Amino acid sequence: MFVAALFASSFTGASAQVKEFGWHDKSVTPYIASQLDPRFSFMLYIPKGYQENGTEKCELLVLVHGTERRPDVYIEHMREFADKNRVILLAPLFPINTHGRQDLENYKLVEYKATRYDLILLSMADETASKYRLAGNTFFMHGFSGGGHFTHRFFYLHPHRLRAVSIGAPGLVTLIDNTSDWWVGTRDLYRRFNVKMNLDAMRGVSVHMVVGAEDTDEWNEPITRDSEYWMGEGVKGADYNTTGKNRIERLATLKTNYEQHGIKVSMDTVPAADHDETKLFPAVRKFLEGELAK
């Protein structure tokens, strides 16, 4: 009997889960260096009541910052949404000067000087999944401005990892176009990224576009040789205004392009909003809540 009791006691102790999370694993985390490339980091928000040794599984929402690089703003504005809808937030930080100069545009075109920002982001999502219980292998994504650049281009490469995507006010857009090379079109997608466009998978992702009704600034200067968007002399489409004179028109062109390829799009033009992500968050939250309810 003594031996049986000792065995039972030992078994119970061995099977008990040890709590290892500290304060920095809960709520708003500090910035976490990517294990794939520590030049880049990410911040998480873990919803209230998440139990380290519980059974609850959460959805993952990735929030991609704009040129100003303030992931904390996105986390702060989406915390209540995350608590209500049981969503873990992941906000990457893609800083400037990771390539030894003022590389302000670096992440927006997905690849910059052999750095694949899409793969870095996927590694961050996988790191999160290794530590927290996620509902599946797919996630939601929203990006604004520079993040809108990145988000719609990430969609071309990895639709199989996305449940829904919200594209907010990108400055320039890449169209689904097999007659033009990246970044204007997608003709050289396989050569550049070793990825083939999967339109069937893209049609299975819910797509949202959002822009402020007063986001009407125009860029009338040409793209110059020192710009990351320079594609060569006289390349068709490689200028600021080919797809529209402002962000509203460019996003509308992208919407039409998607619909021509069988991709359904919902679009919000937010009244009294200029180029300010905080004014677009209500429309983003409404879209995402509708998707989570499906």
Side-chain angles (χ1 to χ4, degrees), residues 183-201:
W183 59 268
V184 171
T186 53
R187 176 171 57 189
D188 60 341
L189 209 65
Y190 182 72
R191 179 183 62 81
R192 182 178 290 269
F193 297 107
N194 196 35
V195 168
K196 293 197 72 173
M197 179 168 283
N198 186 340
L199 282 172
D200 284 341

Side-chain angles (χ1 to χ4, degrees), residues 142-285:
H142 167 69
F144 169 78
S145 192
H149 276 259
F150 176 86
T151 295
H152 83 281
R153 296 179 179 118
F154 182 95
F155 175 43
Y156 298 155
L157 303 178
H158 307 287
H160 57 289
R161 294 298 304 271
L162 293 169
R163 272 191 60 187
V165 61
S166 175
I167 303 163
L172 289 171
V173 297
T174 296
L175 301 180
I176 301 171
D177 176 8
N178 286 328
T179 68
S180 300
D181 287 340
W182 193 266
W183 59 268
V184 171
T186 53
R187 176 171 57 189
D188 60 341
L189 209 65
Y190 182 72
R191 179 183 62 81
R192 182 178 290 269
F193 297 107
N194 196 35
V195 168
K196 293 197 72 173
M197 179 168 283
N198 186 340
L199 282 172
D200 284 341
M202 292 175 69
R203 293 174 186 129
V205 177
S206 295
V207 178
H208 176 240
M209 296 182 181
V210 61
V211 65
E214 297 180 11
D215 197 351
T216 56
D217 287 351
E218 298 181 14
W219 304 335
N220 295 313
E221 69 274 13
I223 292 175
T224 57
R225 291 178 179 272
D226 61 347
S227 168
E228 283 81 0
Y229 301 100
W230 172 260
M231 290 184 62
E233 199 71 52
V235 174
K236 182 182 177 182
D239 63 57
Y240 290 120
N241 297 319
T242 297
T243 56
K245 65 184 180 183
N246 57 42
R247 295 173 192 269
I248 298 171
E249 292 187 4
R250 293 175 197 131
L251 202 56
T253 299
L254 186 65
K255 179 177 184 289
T256 299
N257 176 252
Y258 281 13
E259 290 171 340
Q260 289 171 342
H261 289 85
I263 300 167
K264 295 180 180 179
V265 178
S266 64
M267 184 166 176
D268 286 313
T269 302
V270 180
D274 52 9
H275 197 60
D276 180 350
E277 69 272 28
T278 64
K279 296 177 181 178
L280 306 189
F281 279 130
V284 174
R285 288 193 289 264

